[in-house]
Amino acid sequence: MEECAMLEISNYLSANAANMKKSVIRELLKLTNQPDIISFAGGLPAPETFPVEDLREATDRVFRKYGDKILQYGTTEGDNDLKAQLIAYEKENGIDIKADNLLITSASQQALDMLPKLFLDPGDYVIAGRPTYVGALQAIQSYQGRVLGIPFSTAGDGFDMAELERLYHRAKDEGKQIKYIYVIPDFQNPSGICWSLEKRRELLQFSYRENLFLVEDSPYREIRFLGNPVPSIYEIDQKGENRGNVINLKTFSKILAPGTRIGWIIARPDVIQKLVIAKQAMDLCTSVLTQKMIAEYMSMGRLRETIGRTCSIYREKRNFMIEQLELYMPKRFDLTWTKPEGGLFLWISLPHFIDTEKMFYRAIEKKVAYVVGSAFYFDNPETNAMRINFSYSSREQIEEGIRRLADVIKDEIDQHDAGPRGQTMPEGM
Amino acid sequence: MEECAMLEISNYLSANAANMKKSVIRELLKLTNQPDIISFAGGLPAPETFPVEDLREATDRVFRKYGDKILQYGTTEGDNDLKAQLIAYEKENGIDIKADNLLITSASQQALDMLPKLFLDPGDYVIAGRPTYVGALQAIQSYQGRVLGIPFSTAGDGFDMAELERLYHRAKDEGKQIKYIYVIPDFQNPSGICWSLEKRRELLQFSYRENLFLVEDSPYREIRFLGNPVPSIYEIDQKGENRGNVINLKTFSKILAPGTRIGWIIARPDVIQKLVIAKQAMDLCTSVLTQKMIAEYMSMGRLRETIGRTCSIYREKRNFMIEQLELYMPKRFDLTWTKPEGGLFLWISLPHFIDTEKMFYRAIEKKVAYVVGSAFYFDNPETNAMRINFSYSSREQIEEGIRRLADVIKDEIDQHDAGPRGQTMPEGM
């Protein structure tokens, strides 16, 4: 009979697979599928920002213009028309690149998967923010990589650089292999932090001094609705010492539409070549059809206009959400939220006694959802924070959702203040 | 000055990356880009088989029907409309599946990348044919996996089962960790071999006895232009002992159009769930736009017709190529080619003294290209074989190309027969 048993898959998993963390976001999102829940949990762009009619037109044109060519295999490096458009686009952004500095990816998540594959052996470390984007953590973990988490400065202008030095040297002294730095300098997911020019320069100098590649993930860079742009770290390197150790990840997911699944990596040609070999074995090539569609759309000259409109819509939603927070949230020194100048998210820090994972189920009962802050930490998570998204919900949903969320938080605070004595006693007693 | 040096990327690569083999095919293909070369090297489907107008129409319809929804993020598991179409399609194929048996992938290469990620630790083994698909080898190598290569029977009906037993038990005795079996039972790439029903059953029994997952890669299954279909191993298991250890990989690349980059994995729900977690970290989801496009196309009811037309075109091209081989090739017992009943390729075995890698450059001089046989071996490659593709070239190109190829081979044979005595002496003398 033993032979007849079905194979138990857990006995067959690689150490990589055993190390893959099922996304907390994803699991919790399943609870938010009821239609009457107002969810601030996802990271979805506002669908009203997608230029549906223009993209339909662009797609129709490339079918008529190229016929079977858009349905055939393409090169691993990416479509030349799209690359030409991207070179022009990045030139306007102040960056000077050639075709061999570019690799088209199946959006940024594929790039985030390639980097640990290229650089990490099991147990190797990546320097990243505390908190940081959960998709990057998942990719690193799926190759048994580890994260040296660096807290952000209280000014919210980048890493706490003294902590970076301290933690880095301690890790080196402990013999840890540190392979690259991963940062999202523009409107970081989840914190919304935008790095100052000075901090960008300092981090670049740190990467030079320590001979580290620096991965700059910029999905939200163009989604700035307040203040002035700060040069990307890629640009600072290029216009300065030009050592070429910055690898910049970009995507159409937030500036055009995520369903296109098209992103691009900007890096030195030798880095691009290694990534091309990795991509060959991962998916051969990205869809020519969707690449050509975007190239055609870009040639219409309306991408900047679309981004501008998206920024207006998000500015309005962000302002409105902050208004509602100020209106409904309990006033306490230990209940704060970020006021980002771009991106899609706010980060709310709550009183230390609130565990947002435990509170999540009560929030669902009250028909409102968020992402638990702990999801964004590789280790030793902060448990009293949450990420909320302002791009997807309507004005009405934002008002009602924030009111519900404030009620849930008020209940937590009230319960804590009135809580049974036995439970508030220090553990030592 | 030392600090100023650019980072040397080879010092930063993971063992995975250092183990990635640049595709021989790809490197050699670069030589074939001159327009006057007739290339049998690629594996491209015939562009005239793509239903361009229907796919244009389907795409236009889904833009109008779903609007922004096809431009938003989708679920990692895949689009429900496409899944429903695939369930119906596979039912017609004799396979009974539900939505939780399916994962939509960015074509089969992504599935080939997921499997070693899920199952292999560095040094672990996969059982596979000698030769086998180079993209599968690349994916396995990119996780430091190894391949236990099994020769095919002289009858060309599947593995040499005695050799499978002998090599398997020797490997086990040597302490090798064997994690799964990988086969392409229908018109194998590169050999064109189609496994007999008996051999499929034997291999399934072997996998049951040894408690191994069996990965059945079926990109060409529907591209049968002669003879009668043999049940897939997935079907044999499902209609027999139904132990669920078969993982079936399928794709639209050969039956519709590769530019769609859409494939699907059929497996037990618990296997699918693990693959979903892996895919999350790899690319979040496959393009909703292209998934919906295919679902809409399938709903038009013309996929079978398209496949039928493709099979007719390929049958004609395959027959014509074999005719030309019979006409032009030197007649020798040690110069043979396969006569596949489906797929896209012929496999030519040449006299032992011909090294197809060395001959490649002379073939390029004569303006004809093929894939060197050695590319399809994990280790100890056969050096006197080549793969040629019959799906892509026109009738005129096939005739002229085979004539050129025959000339190159004749020259090799003549040179060998007349060769300088000094060079033909055994090395020991």
Side-chain angles (χ1 to χ4, degrees):
Chain A
M1 276 309 287
E2 196 191 279
E3 273 195 356
C4 260
M6 273 177 56
L7 304 182
E8 170 53 47
I9 185 155
S10 59
N11 297 337
Y12 290 80
L13 297 180
S14 66
N16 279 343
N19 203 50
M20 286 177 200
K21 239 169 70 175
K22 198 154 185 172
S23 162
V24 180
I25 294 188
R26 199 185 152 78
E27 290 314 293
L28 294 182
L29 278 179
K30 286 184 183 163
L31 297 175
T32 71
N33 273 341
Q34 307 155 48
D36 53 344
I37 284 188
I38 294 174
S39 176
F40 302 133
L44 302 185
E48 65 266 30
T49 65
F50 305 157
V52 180
E53 183 50 30
D54 281 353
L55 287 171
R56 190 197 62 72
E57 172 68 26
T59 310
D60 202 65
R61 279 197 213 167
V62 296
F63 263 106
R64 295 179 194 276
K65 209 190 274 192
Y66 304 105
D68 57 61
K69 281 176 192 64
I70 60 170
L71 297 168
Q72 188 57 278
Y73 286 109
T75 63
T76 309
E77 288 85 348
D79 180 68
N80 284 333
D81 288 344
L82 179 58
K83 282 189 172 187
Q85 290 290 341
L86 287 173
I87 289 167
Y89 176 77
E90 292 294 1
K91 201 175 176 69
E92 290 169 20
N93 289 339
I95 290 171
D96 208 14
I97 51 169
K98 295 199 174 69
D100 62 0
N101 295 116
L102 277 175
L103 169 61
I104 308 298
T105 60
S106 300
S108 266
Q109 189 65 41
Q110 186 177 48
L112 291 174
D113 186 40
M114 285 178 174
L115 292 164
K117 187 163 189 174
L118 196 64
F119 290 126
L120 300 188
D121 288 314
D124 284 353
Y125 276 77
V126 177
I127 292 173
R130 262 180 74 81
T132 201
Y133 173 50
V134 62
L137 295 177
Q138 283 177 292
I140 291 167
Q141 284 170 307
S142 79
Y143 296 93
Q144 300 177 70
R146 302 184 61 79
V147 174
L148 186 67
I150 311 297
F152 291 99
S153 67
T154 44
D157 63 350
F159 283 167
D160 178 329
M161 297 305 287
E163 275 296 280
L164 170 63
E165 294 288 350
R166 191 181 70 81
L167 292 167
Y168 177 75
H169 288 290
R170 193 178 72 183
K172 292 279 279 187
D173 290 347
E174 289 168 0
K176 289 171 179 162
Q177 291 294 320
I178 295 163
K179 297 303 261 309
Y180 61 90
I181 303 168
Y182 169 75
V183 284
I184 312 162
D186 295 288
F187 323 119
Q188 200 243 16
N189 181 353
S191 71
I193 282 176
C194 183
W195 287 51
S196 67
L197 178 59
E198 188 170 22
K199 280 280 168 83
R200 290 175 196 228
R201 285 191 180 133
E202 278 182 61
L203 188 70
L204 184 61
Q205 287 300 326
F206 176 88
S207 75
Y208 289 162
R209 192 187 77 205
E210 299 301 331
N211 291 310
L212 292 169
F213 280 102
L214 197 166
V215 176
E216 178 179 35
D217 189 10
S218 308
Y220 317 108
R221 180 166 170 76
E222 286 90 338
I223 307 299
R224 169 182 282 282
F225 38 71
L226 288 170
N228 293 316
V230 184
S232 71
I233 303 180
Y234 189 92
E235 185 183 344
I236 298 170
D237 173 61
Q238 187 172 71
K239 294 191 172 156
E241 299 187 30
N242 199 19
R243 298 206 199 176
N245 67 325
V246 183
I247 300 170
N248 194 194
L249 315 184
K250 305 203 69 177
T251 175
F252 285 103
S253 294
K254 305 304 187 294
I255 64 173
L256 183 62
T260 62
R261 310 310 296 136
I262 303 284
W264 63 104
I265 304 179
I266 309 174
R268 263 165 38 187
D270 61 341
V271 174
I272 293 292
Q273 280 164 34
K274 293 289 175 192
L275 290 167
V276 167
I277 297 172
K279 185 171 162 71
Q280 265 179 51
M282 292 166 91
D283 67 359
L284 294 177
C285 65
T286 293
S287 167
V288 181
L289 166 57
T290 48
Q291 289 184 76
K292 284 279 194 211
M293 171 185 84
I294 293 190
E296 185 71 23
Y297 175 76
M298 290 178 89
S299 78
M300 293 175 174
R302 299 205 197 118
L303 179 57
R304 296 282 172 191
E305 191 186 312
T306 297
I307 294 172
R309 200 177 55 242
T310 301
C311 288
S312 307
I313 292 171
Y314 289 3
R315 183 192 305 117
E316 200 268 330
K317 288 191 178 196
R318 173 265 198 201
N319 288 346
F320 187 69
M321 188 177 258
I322 287 178
E323 270 173 39
Q324 301 308 303
L325 285 167
E326 284 164 358
L327 202 59
Y328 290 114
M329 282 288 167
K331 270 69 187 166
R332 293 176 60 113
F333 77 96
D334 55 359
L335 201 173
T336 59
W337 46 87
T338 50
K339 296 180 181 69
E341 298 188 328
L344 280 68
F345 306 108
L346 303 186
W347 180 250
I348 306 187
S349 298
L350 298 169
H352 69 90
F353 53 81
I354 294 185
D355 181 328
T356 52
E357 250 179 85
K358 288 186 190 149
M359 189 174 74
F360 186 81
Y361 302 92
R362 287 190 282 275
I364 291 295
E365 279 170 29
K366 296 261 190 183
K367 307 293 183 191
V368 63
Y370 54 81
V371 183
V372 299
S374 57
F376 301 94
Y377 293 82
F378 175 78
D379 51 13
N380 305 316
E382 304 279 334
T383 54
N384 58 327
M386 63 171 68
R387 187 193 79 179
I388 59 176
N389 167 273
F390 55 78
S391 60
Y392 187 70
S393 303
S394 67
R395 213 176 150 89
E396 293 67 35
Q397 287 168 326
I398 290 175
E399 175 163 16
E400 176 60 20
I402 294 295
R403 209 186 45 70
R404 292 181 191 172
L405 190 58
D407 282 348
V408 174
I409 292 170
K410 266 181 227 154
D411 284 354
E412 289 290 304
I413 294 172
D414 291 349
Q415 267 181 44
H416 174 264
D417 289 350
R421 302 271 151 114
Q423 287 184 19
T424 55
M425 282 189 185
E427 279 204 274
M429 289 184 74
Chain B
M1 275 310 286
E2 197 190 279
E3 272 195 356
C4 260
M6 273 176 58
L7 304 182
E8 171 52 47
I9 184 156
S10 59
N11 296 337
Y12 289 80
L13 296 180
S14 66
N16 279 344
N19 203 49
M20 287 176 200
K21 238 168 71 174
K22 198 154 186 172
S23 162
V24 181
I25 295 188
R26 198 185 151 79
E27 291 313 294
L28 295 181
L29 278 180
K30 285 184 183 164
L31 297 174
T32 71
N33 274 341
Q34 308 155 48
D36 53 344
I37 284 187
I38 294 174
S39 178
F40 301 133
L44 302 186
E48 65 266 30
T49 65
F50 306 157
V52 180
E53 184 49 31
D54 280 353
L55 287 171
R56 190 198 62 73
E57 172 68 25
T59 311
D60 202 65
R61 277 196 214 169
V62 296
F63 264 105
R64 293 177 195 278
K65 210 190 274 192
Y66 304 106
D68 57 61
K69 281 178 193 61
I70 60 171
L71 298 168
Q72 189 56 279
Y73 286 108
T75 64
T76 309
E77 288 86 347
D79 180 68
N80 284 332
D81 288 345
L82 180 58
K83 283 189 172 187
Q85 290 289 341
L86 288 172
I87 289 167
Y89 177 78
E90 292 294 0
K91 201 174 176 69
E92 289 170 21
N93 289 339
I95 290 171
D96 209 13
I97 51 170
K98 296 199 174 69
D100 61 0
N101 296 115
L102 278 174
L103 169 62
I104 309 297
T105 60
S106 300
S108 266
Q109 189 65 40
Q110 186 177 49
L112 290 173
D113 185 41
M114 283 177 177
L115 291 164
K117 186 162 189 174
L118 196 63
F119 289 127
L120 299 188
D121 288 314
D124 284 353
Y125 277 77
V126 177
I127 292 173
R130 265 181 72 82
T132 202
Y133 172 50
V134 63
L137 295 178
Q138 283 177 292
I140 290 166
Q141 285 169 307
S142 79
Y143 296 92
Q144 301 178 67
R146 302 184 62 78
V147 174
L148 186 68
I150 311 297
F152 291 99
S153 67
T154 44
D157 64 349
F159 282 166
D160 178 331
M161 296 304 286
E163 275 297 280
L164 170 63
E165 294 288 351
R166 190 181 69 79
L167 293 167
Y168 177 76
H169 288 291
R170 192 177 71 183
K172 292 278 280 186
D173 290 347
E174 289 167 359
K176 288 171 179 161
Q177 291 294 319
I178 295 163
K179 296 303 261 308
Y180 61 91
I181 303 167
Y182 169 75
V183 284
I184 312 163
D186 296 287
F187 324 120
Q188 200 243 15
N189 181 354
S191 71
I193 282 175
C194 183
W195 287 52
S196 68
L197 178 59
E198 189 171 20
K199 280 281 167 84
R200 291 173 196 229
R201 285 191 180 133
E202 278 182 61
L203 188 69
L204 184 60
Q205 287 300 326
F206 176 87
S207 75
Y208 289 162
R209 191 188 78 206
E210 299 301 330
N211 292 309
L212 291 168
F213 280 102
L214 197 167
V215 177
E216 179 180 34
D217 189 10
S218 307
Y220 318 108
R221 179 165 171 77
E222 286 89 338
I223 308 298
R224 171 182 281 279
F225 38 71
L226 288 168
N228 294 316
V230 185
S232 71
I233 304 180
Y234 189 91
E235 186 183 344
I236 299 170
D237 172 61
Q238 186 171 73
K239 293 191 173 156
E241 298 186 34
N242 199 19
R243 297 206 201 176
N245 67 325
V246 183
I247 300 170
N248 194 194
L249 314 186
K250 304 204 67 176
T251 175
F252 285 103
S253 294
K254 306 305 186 294
I255 64 174
L256 183 63
T260 62
R261 309 311 295 137
I262 303 284
W264 64 104
I265 304 179
I266 308 173
R268 263 166 36 189
D270 60 342
V271 174
I272 293 291
Q273 280 163 33
K274 293 289 176 193
L275 290 167
V276 166
I277 296 172
K279 184 171 162 72
Q280 266 181 49
M282 291 166 91
D283 67 0
L284 293 178
C285 65
T286 293
S287 165
V288 180
L289 165 57
T290 49
Q291 290 185 75
K292 284 280 193 208
M293 171 184 85
I294 293 189
E296 185 71 22
Y297 174 76
M298 290 178 89
S299 78
M300 293 174 174
R302 300 207 195 117
L303 178 59
R304 295 282 172 193
E305 191 185 310
T306 297
I307 295 172
R309 200 178 55 241
T310 301
C311 288
S312 307
I313 292 171
Y314 289 3
R315 182 193 306 116
E316 202 269 329
K317 288 190 177 194
R318 172 265 197 201
N319 287 347
F320 187 70
M321 187 176 258
I322 288 177
E323 270 173 38
Q324 301 308 304
L325 286 166
E326 282 163 359
L327 203 60
Y328 290 113
M329 281 287 167
K331 270 71 187 164
R332 292 176 62 114
F333 77 97
D334 56 0
L335 201 172
T336 58
W337 46 88
T338 49
K339 295 181 181 69
E341 298 189 328
L344 281 68
F345 306 108
L346 302 185
W347 180 250
I348 305 187
S349 299
L350 297 170
H352 68 91
F353 54 81
I354 294 185
D355 181 327
T356 52
E357 250 180 85
K358 288 186 188 149
M359 190 174 74
F360 186 82
Y361 301 92
R362 288 189 282 277
I364 291 294
E365 280 170 28
K366 296 261 189 184
K367 308 291 183 195
V368 63
Y370 54 81
V371 182
V372 299
S374 57
F376 301 94
Y377 293 84
F378 175 78
D379 50 14
N380 305 316
E382 303 281 334
T383 55
N384 58 329
M386 64 171 68
R387 187 193 79 178
I388 59 176
N389 166 274
F390 55 79
S391 60
Y392 187 71
S393 304
S394 68
R395 213 175 150 91
E396 294 66 36
Q397 287 168 326
I398 290 174
E399 176 164 16
E400 177 60 20
I402 293 296
R403 209 186 45 70
R404 293 179 191 172
L405 190 58
D407 282 348
V408 174
I409 292 170
K410 266 182 224 150
D411 284 355
E412 290 289 304
I413 293 172
D414 291 349
Q415 269 181 42
H416 175 263
D417 290 351
R421 303 271 151 115
Q423 286 185 19
T424 55
M425 282 188 184
E427 281 205 272
M429 289 185 72

